[in-house]
Amino acid sequence: MALEIERKFLVDRDLWRPRHDGTFYRQGYLSRAEDRVVRVRALAGRAAFLTIKGRSAGLSRIELEYPIPVEDAELMLDRLCERPLIEKTRYEETVGGRLWTVDVFQGENDGLILAEIELSSESESFERPAWLGREVSDDPRYFNSELSKQPFGYWKTP
């Protein structure tokens, strides 16, 4: 079974600066329910994926991802996905030998920067980068599927 275990954190924008170029992502949701979401994602027109994620149990959830033709993904994003789409630039950072992804959101989620680390177990330890802020792994408002329903730009208090 494909299991995703990740922790998610806010990023201190005063301390973090990208060291490399990022990749622009456009993603949208074909289906959202309490127990699963079905997402389409296109990476700067170079690759595309259909992803199915199950309900979170702690920091873990089932995640299945399949490559799809970029043209199909663009069609789904433009004509089938719920609005608004998620638009973000993803950067990769290595800290303490571990890969972090840092997402800088645009569009209706402009102003939000999140960092994620994938783990092999929920109790796995890792080095915290200096630019890491408050953990939001347990706050569903920060799930991309929720950000597409209630964008960060409309929150009264983050």
Side-chain angles (χ1 to χ4, degrees):
M1 172 169 43
L3 194 63
E4 173 187 62
I5 302 170
E6 70 181 12
R7 292 182 63 182
K8 188 178 294 221
F9 299 83
L10 296 173
V11 171
D12 184 330
R13 68 182 63 250
D14 294 328
L15 299 177
W16 178 78
R17 294 289 179 267
R19 292 186 237 169
H20 309 287
D21 289 339
T23 301
F24 181 70
Y25 282 54
R26 229 170 50 120
Q27 67 187 45
Y29 293 86
L30 294 168
S31 174
R32 283 187 289 230
E34 195 172 304
D35 59 344
R36 51 98 187 106
V37 296
V38 180
R39 174 185 76 200
V40 175
R41 175 184 275 175
L43 290 65
R46 297 190 312 251
F49 301 91
L50 181 68
T51 306
I52 300 133
K53 293 187 177 199
R55 178 197 308 245
S56 293
L59 301 173
S60 305
R61 63 180 163 180
I62 294 171
E63 178 182 59
L64 304 165
E65 188 165 74
Y66 306 96
I68 60 173
V70 172
E71 298 78 20
D72 291 356
E74 295 293 344
L75 178 64
M76 287 186 256
L77 288 164
D78 291 341
R79 311 240 342 248
L80 299 175
C81 289
E82 298 172 5
R83 294 294 187 259
L85 297 178
I86 297 289
E87 299 173 317
K88 60 187 178 181
T89 301
R90 174 165 284 179
Y91 300 88
E92 293 185 345
E93 302 283 349
T94 302
V95 177
R98 302 296 307 270
L99 179 66
W100 288 83
T101 59
V102 178
D103 290 337
V104 178
F105 289 83
Q106 287 105 40
E108 295 188 51
N109 288 293
D110 189 46
L112 180 61
I113 305 176
L114 293 174
E116 295 179 356
I117 185 170
E118 291 206 13
L119 305 171
S120 55
S121 75
E122 290 194 15
S123 60
E124 184 177 352
S125 62
F126 55 89
E127 182 180 332
R128 289 178 59 101
W131 40 261
L132 212 59
R134 177 172 57 92
E135 183 166 8
V136 293
S137 301
D138 292 331
D139 188 339
R141 295 180 304 162
Y142 291 96
F143 294 173
N144 281 264
S145 59
E146 290 299 317
L147 289 169
S148 73
K149 288 193 299 191
Q150 288 286 30
F152 180 75
Y154 299 108
W155 294 8
K156 291 192 185 337
T157 56

